[in-house]
Amino acid sequence: VQLIDRKSNQSQFTGIDDGTRTKTLNLILKTESKNGYFGKLNAGAGNHDMFNSGGLLASFRSREQLTALGFASNTGSTNFSSDAGQGEIFAKVNGDDPLGASAGLGIPRLYATAAHYANTWNKEANHIVGNYQYSNLMTKPVTTSSIIQILPDSIYIQNKYAQSTNRQDQHSGYATFDWVSGKLSGFRYSMTLDRQAANNQFADSGSGTFNGVTVNRTERHIRSVNNQLNFTGDISWNV
């Protein structure tokens, strides 16, 4: 059993101390004892067809770790996380509407899944970590308004109605690989990938009446499609 002040990952790799410390309790187990599985499951439901559920399954074998998560909710939650395994795994969506084709925020319905993998070998000199997530977010906001102006000899009423269906699919991935090529040098390879596809359909209408007679009517339809793909890669060499 060891109680140590663990340096940040960046400090350990570069050898430059950034002053960041994390208290770590290190339990050294026998190799044959580092095998197992664990998981958890939660679910809930309420009025108006509201639901919230999630699950986690993790396995470990020696220094190899694998974690999978799943989540489904229409209660407003847009992220979930777990610290199972080596490092935190999380899934989160932003729900942005870059083109403004939405009737409002709405209550999001989210389906998401995520996976985490980590492994070390060569006496922990070589290390690999990878995370992946997929999420599907949908909102159907509706807004209505009515303005009534009453004068001594007239009544003017203006009604407005707007609705939209907003969908977003997101794939995100991150991976880091540390490889020690010798006693005095090592390489770190890292990459991130983020792909988003959004489809928003918006419609609104309005009408005005003066003393019960329709004097104007408006109708508008907007459809926006937004696709984004971001990829970054980095190679570092430490001597």
Short mmCIF file of all heavy atoms in Angstrom, two decimals, residues 173-213:
data_model
loop_
_atom_site.label_atom_id
_atom_site.label_comp_id
_atom_site.label_asym_id
_atom_site.label_seq_id
_atom_site.Cartn_x
_atom_site.Cartn_y
_atom_site.Cartn_z
N GLY A 173 -14.28 11.14 -30.48
CA GLY A 173 -13.28 10.16 -30.11
C GLY A 173 -11.99 10.83 -29.67
O GLY A 173 -11.65 11.93 -30.14
N TYR A 174 -11.28 10.18 -28.76
CA TYR A 174 -10.02 10.69 -28.28
C TYR A 174 -9.11 9.51 -27.95
O TYR A 174 -9.56 8.51 -27.37
CB TYR A 174 -10.22 11.54 -27.02
CG TYR A 174 -8.92 11.91 -26.31
CD1 TYR A 174 -8.14 12.96 -26.78
CD2 TYR A 174 -8.48 11.20 -25.20
CE1 TYR A 174 -6.95 13.30 -26.16
CE2 TYR A 174 -7.29 11.53 -24.56
CZ TYR A 174 -6.53 12.58 -25.04
OH TYR A 174 -5.36 12.91 -24.43
N ALA A 175 -7.85 9.61 -28.32
CA ALA A 175 -6.90 8.52 -28.04
C ALA A 175 -5.52 9.09 -27.79
O ALA A 175 -5.11 10.08 -28.43
CB ALA A 175 -6.86 7.53 -29.19
N THR A 176 -4.80 8.47 -26.87
CA THR A 176 -3.42 8.84 -26.56
C THR A 176 -2.59 7.58 -26.42
O THR A 176 -3.01 6.61 -25.79
CB THR A 176 -3.34 9.65 -25.25
OG1 THR A 176 -4.06 10.86 -25.39
CG2 THR A 176 -1.89 9.99 -24.92
N PHE A 177 -1.39 7.61 -27.02
CA PHE A 177 -0.50 6.47 -26.96
C PHE A 177 0.89 6.95 -26.55
O PHE A 177 1.48 7.80 -27.21
CB PHE A 177 -0.43 5.75 -28.30
CG PHE A 177 0.58 4.64 -28.37
CD1 PHE A 177 0.60 3.63 -27.42
CD2 PHE A 177 1.53 4.61 -29.39
CE1 PHE A 177 1.54 2.61 -27.47
CE2 PHE A 177 2.46 3.59 -29.45
CZ PHE A 177 2.47 2.59 -28.49
N ASP A 178 1.38 6.44 -25.43
CA ASP A 178 2.73 6.75 -24.96
C ASP A 178 3.64 5.56 -25.26
O ASP A 178 3.35 4.43 -24.84
CB ASP A 178 2.73 7.03 -23.46
CG ASP A 178 1.98 8.30 -23.11
OD1 ASP A 178 2.01 9.23 -23.92
OD2 ASP A 178 1.37 8.36 -22.02
N TRP A 179 4.75 5.83 -25.94
CA TRP A 179 5.69 4.77 -26.31
C TRP A 179 7.10 5.20 -25.92
O TRP A 179 7.59 6.23 -26.35
CB TRP A 179 5.63 4.50 -27.81
CG TRP A 179 6.66 3.50 -28.27
CD1 TRP A 179 6.87 2.25 -27.78
CD2 TRP A 179 7.62 3.69 -29.31
NE1 TRP A 179 7.90 1.63 -28.45
CE2 TRP A 179 8.39 2.50 -29.41
CE3 TRP A 179 7.91 4.75 -30.17
CZ2 TRP A 179 9.41 2.35 -30.32
CZ3 TRP A 179 8.94 4.59 -31.09
CH2 TRP A 179 9.66 3.40 -31.16
N VAL A 180 7.72 4.41 -25.07
CA VAL A 180 9.09 4.69 -24.63
C VAL A 180 10.03 3.93 -25.55
O VAL A 180 10.06 2.69 -25.55
CB VAL A 180 9.30 4.28 -23.16
CG1 VAL A 180 10.75 4.50 -22.76
CG2 VAL A 180 8.37 5.07 -22.25
N SER A 181 10.81 4.68 -26.34
CA SER A 181 11.70 4.06 -27.32
C SER A 181 13.05 3.69 -26.73
O SER A 181 13.80 2.92 -27.31
CB SER A 181 11.91 5.00 -28.52
OG SER A 181 12.43 6.24 -28.08
N GLY A 182 13.38 4.26 -25.59
CA GLY A 182 14.65 3.97 -24.94
C GLY A 182 14.62 4.44 -23.50
O GLY A 182 13.61 4.91 -23.00
N LYS A 183 15.77 4.35 -22.84
CA LYS A 183 15.81 4.75 -21.45
C LYS A 183 15.69 6.25 -21.26
O LYS A 183 15.29 6.73 -20.20
CB LYS A 183 17.12 4.25 -20.81
CG LYS A 183 17.23 2.74 -20.72
CD LYS A 183 18.53 2.33 -20.04
CE LYS A 183 18.62 0.81 -19.92
NZ LYS A 183 19.88 0.39 -19.25
N LEU A 184 16.03 7.02 -22.28
CA LEU A 184 16.07 8.47 -22.12
C LEU A 184 15.09 9.22 -23.02
O LEU A 184 15.12 10.45 -23.06
CB LEU A 184 17.50 8.98 -22.39
CG LEU A 184 18.59 8.42 -21.48
CD1 LEU A 184 19.93 8.97 -21.91
CD2 LEU A 184 18.31 8.77 -20.02
N SER A 185 14.25 8.55 -23.75
CA SER A 185 13.35 9.25 -24.66
C SER A 185 12.03 8.50 -24.78
O SER A 185 11.94 7.31 -24.50
CB SER A 185 13.99 9.42 -26.04
OG SER A 185 14.20 8.16 -26.65
N GLY A 186 11.03 9.23 -25.20
CA GLY A 186 9.72 8.63 -25.40
C GLY A 186 8.86 9.49 -26.31
O GLY A 186 9.13 10.69 -26.51
N PHE A 187 7.83 8.90 -26.88
CA PHE A 187 6.93 9.58 -27.79
C PHE A 187 5.51 9.53 -27.23
O PHE A 187 5.12 8.58 -26.56
CB PHE A 187 6.95 8.92 -29.18
CG PHE A 187 8.23 9.10 -29.93
CD1 PHE A 187 9.27 8.19 -29.76
CD2 PHE A 187 8.40 10.16 -30.81
CE1 PHE A 187 10.45 8.34 -30.46
CE2 PHE A 187 9.59 10.32 -31.50
CZ PHE A 187 10.61 9.41 -31.33
N ARG A 188 4.76 10.57 -27.53
CA ARG A 188 3.33 10.59 -27.23
C ARG A 188 2.57 10.96 -28.50
O ARG A 188 2.82 12.00 -29.12
CB ARG A 188 3.00 11.58 -26.12
CG ARG A 188 1.49 11.87 -26.03
CD ARG A 188 1.10 12.60 -24.76
NE ARG A 188 1.19 11.71 -23.61
CZ ARG A 188 0.79 12.06 -22.38
NH1 ARG A 188 0.29 13.26 -22.17
NH2 ARG A 188 0.89 11.21 -21.39
N TYR A 189 1.62 10.11 -28.87
CA TYR A 189 0.75 10.36 -30.01
C TYR A 189 -0.67 10.59 -29.47
O TYR A 189 -1.15 9.80 -28.66
CB TYR A 189 0.74 9.17 -30.97
CG TYR A 189 2.11 8.70 -31.41
CD1 TYR A 189 2.80 7.74 -30.68
CD2 TYR A 189 2.69 9.23 -32.55
CE1 TYR A 189 4.06 7.31 -31.08
CE2 TYR A 189 3.96 8.80 -32.96
CZ TYR A 189 4.63 7.84 -32.23
OH TYR A 189 5.87 7.42 -32.62
N SER A 190 -1.32 11.62 -29.91
CA SER A 190 -2.69 11.88 -29.49
C SER A 190 -3.52 12.36 -30.67
O SER A 190 -3.00 13.01 -31.59
CB SER A 190 -2.73 12.91 -28.36
OG SER A 190 -2.22 14.16 -28.79
N MET A 191 -4.79 12.06 -30.63
CA MET A 191 -5.71 12.48 -31.69
C MET A 191 -7.11 12.66 -31.13
O MET A 191 -7.50 12.00 -30.16
CB MET A 191 -5.75 11.45 -32.83
CG MET A 191 -6.13 10.04 -32.39
SD MET A 191 -6.42 8.93 -33.77
CE MET A 191 -8.00 9.54 -34.34
N THR A 192 -7.84 13.59 -31.71
CA THR A 192 -9.23 13.82 -31.35
C THR A 192 -10.06 13.92 -32.64
O THR A 192 -9.58 14.44 -33.65
CB THR A 192 -9.40 15.10 -30.53
OG1 THR A 192 -8.94 16.23 -31.29
CG2 THR A 192 -8.63 15.02 -29.22
N LEU A 193 -11.27 13.45 -32.57
CA LEU A 193 -12.18 13.49 -33.71
C LEU A 193 -13.57 13.86 -33.21
O LEU A 193 -14.06 13.29 -32.22
CB LEU A 193 -12.23 12.13 -34.41
CG LEU A 193 -13.25 11.99 -35.55
CD1 LEU A 193 -12.86 12.90 -36.71
CD2 LEU A 193 -13.34 10.54 -36.02
N ASP A 194 -14.19 14.82 -33.87
CA ASP A 194 -15.53 15.24 -33.50
C ASP A 194 -16.34 15.48 -34.78
O ASP A 194 -15.93 16.26 -35.64
CB ASP A 194 -15.49 16.52 -32.65
CG ASP A 194 -16.88 16.92 -32.17
OD1 ASP A 194 -17.43 16.21 -31.32
OD2 ASP A 194 -17.40 17.94 -32.67
N ARG A 195 -17.46 14.79 -34.88
CA ARG A 195 -18.33 14.94 -36.04
C ARG A 195 -19.75 15.19 -35.57
O ARG A 195 -20.30 14.45 -34.75
CB ARG A 195 -18.30 13.68 -36.92
CG ARG A 195 -19.16 13.79 -38.17
CD ARG A 195 -19.15 12.50 -38.97
NE ARG A 195 -19.94 12.62 -40.19
CZ ARG A 195 -21.26 12.43 -40.24
NH1 ARG A 195 -21.92 12.10 -39.13
NH2 ARG A 195 -21.91 12.55 -41.37
N GLN A 196 -20.35 16.27 -36.09
CA GLN A 196 -21.71 16.63 -35.73
C GLN A 196 -22.55 16.83 -36.98
O GLN A 196 -22.08 17.40 -37.96
CB GLN A 196 -21.73 17.92 -34.89
CG GLN A 196 -21.04 17.81 -33.55
CD GLN A 196 -21.19 19.07 -32.73
OE1 GLN A 196 -22.19 19.77 -32.81
NE2 GLN A 196 -20.18 19.37 -31.92
N ALA A 197 -23.79 16.37 -36.91
CA ALA A 197 -24.74 16.57 -37.99
C ALA A 197 -26.06 17.01 -37.38
O ALA A 197 -26.62 16.32 -36.53
CB ALA A 197 -24.94 15.28 -38.80
N ALA A 198 -26.53 18.20 -37.77
CA ALA A 198 -27.75 18.76 -37.21
C ALA A 198 -28.76 19.03 -38.32
O ALA A 198 -28.39 19.46 -39.42
CB ALA A 198 -27.46 20.04 -36.43
N ASN A 199 -30.03 18.79 -38.01
CA ASN A 199 -31.11 19.03 -38.96
C ASN A 199 -32.26 19.68 -38.20
O ASN A 199 -32.82 19.07 -37.29
CB ASN A 199 -31.55 17.72 -39.61
CG ASN A 199 -32.54 17.93 -40.74
OD1 ASN A 199 -33.48 18.71 -40.64
ND2 ASN A 199 -32.32 17.23 -41.85
N ASN A 200 -32.57 20.92 -38.54
CA ASN A 200 -33.62 21.66 -37.85
C ASN A 200 -34.72 22.06 -38.83
O ASN A 200 -34.43 22.58 -39.91
CB ASN A 200 -33.05 22.93 -37.19
CG ASN A 200 -31.91 22.62 -36.24
OD1 ASN A 200 -31.98 21.66 -35.49
ND2 ASN A 200 -30.86 23.43 -36.28
N GLN A 201 -35.97 21.82 -38.44
CA GLN A 201 -37.13 22.22 -39.23
C GLN A 201 -38.01 23.14 -38.38
O GLN A 201 -38.44 22.75 -37.30
CB GLN A 201 -37.91 21.00 -39.71
CG GLN A 201 -37.09 20.07 -40.61
CD GLN A 201 -37.92 18.95 -41.19
OE1 GLN A 201 -39.07 19.14 -41.54
NE2 GLN A 201 -37.33 17.77 -41.29
N PHE A 202 -38.27 24.32 -38.90
CA PHE A 202 -38.96 25.36 -38.14
C PHE A 202 -40.15 25.88 -38.95
O PHE A 202 -40.07 26.05 -40.17
CB PHE A 202 -37.97 26.50 -37.84
CG PHE A 202 -38.60 27.72 -37.24
CD1 PHE A 202 -38.83 27.80 -35.88
CD2 PHE A 202 -38.95 28.80 -38.04
CE1 PHE A 202 -39.40 28.93 -35.32
CE2 PHE A 202 -39.52 29.93 -37.49
CZ PHE A 202 -39.74 30.01 -36.13
N ALA A 203 -41.25 26.15 -38.24
CA ALA A 203 -42.43 26.72 -38.88
C ALA A 203 -43.14 27.64 -37.89
O ALA A 203 -43.27 27.29 -36.71
CB ALA A 203 -43.39 25.64 -39.36
N ASP A 204 -43.56 28.80 -38.35
CA ASP A 204 -44.37 29.67 -37.50
C ASP A 204 -45.46 30.34 -38.33
O ASP A 204 -45.38 30.43 -39.56
CB ASP A 204 -43.50 30.70 -36.78
CG ASP A 204 -42.92 31.76 -37.71
OD1 ASP A 204 -43.07 31.62 -38.95
OD2 ASP A 204 -42.30 32.71 -37.21
N SER A 205 -46.48 30.76 -37.66
CA SER A 205 -47.62 31.41 -38.31
C SER A 205 -48.19 32.46 -37.37
O SER A 205 -48.01 32.39 -36.15
CB SER A 205 -48.70 30.39 -38.69
OG SER A 205 -49.19 29.73 -37.53
N GLY A 206 -48.87 33.43 -37.94
CA GLY A 206 -49.48 34.49 -37.15
C GLY A 206 -50.67 35.07 -37.86
O GLY A 206 -50.82 34.96 -39.08
N SER A 207 -51.55 35.67 -37.09
CA SER A 207 -52.74 36.29 -37.67
C SER A 207 -53.17 37.46 -36.78
O SER A 207 -52.92 37.47 -35.57
CB SER A 207 -53.88 35.29 -37.81
OG SER A 207 -54.30 34.82 -36.53
N GLY A 208 -53.80 38.44 -37.39
CA GLY A 208 -54.32 39.58 -36.66
C GLY A 208 -55.77 39.82 -37.04
O GLY A 208 -56.16 39.70 -38.21
N THR A 209 -56.59 40.13 -36.04
CA THR A 209 -58.01 40.42 -36.28
C THR A 209 -58.36 41.78 -35.69
O THR A 209 -57.83 42.17 -34.64
CB THR A 209 -58.92 39.34 -35.66
OG1 THR A 209 -58.73 39.31 -34.24
CG2 THR A 209 -58.59 37.97 -36.24
N PHE A 210 -59.25 42.47 -36.36
CA PHE A 210 -59.73 43.77 -35.90
C PHE A 210 -61.25 43.72 -35.83
O PHE A 210 -61.93 43.53 -36.85
CB PHE A 210 -59.28 44.87 -36.86
CG PHE A 210 -59.68 46.26 -36.43
CD1 PHE A 210 -58.98 46.91 -35.44
CD2 PHE A 210 -60.76 46.90 -37.03
CE1 PHE A 210 -59.35 48.19 -35.04
CE2 PHE A 210 -61.13 48.17 -36.64
CZ PHE A 210 -60.42 48.82 -35.64
N ASN A 211 -61.75 43.76 -34.59
CA ASN A 211 -63.19 43.62 -34.35
C ASN A 211 -63.75 42.34 -34.97
O ASN A 211 -64.83 42.33 -35.59
CB ASN A 211 -63.96 44.84 -34.88
CG ASN A 211 -63.71 46.08 -34.04
OD1 ASN A 211 -63.31 45.98 -32.89
ND2 ASN A 211 -63.93 47.25 -34.63
N GLY A 212 -62.98 41.27 -34.84
CA GLY A 212 -63.43 39.97 -35.32
C GLY A 212 -63.17 39.70 -36.78
O GLY A 212 -63.46 38.60 -37.27
N VAL A 213 -62.60 40.64 -37.50
CA VAL A 213 -62.31 40.47 -38.93
C VAL A 213 -60.81 40.29 -39.12
O VAL A 213 -60.01 41.10 -38.62
CB VAL A 213 -62.80 41.67 -39.75
CG1 VAL A 213 -62.47 41.50 -41.23
CG2 VAL A 213 -64.30 41.87 -39.56
#
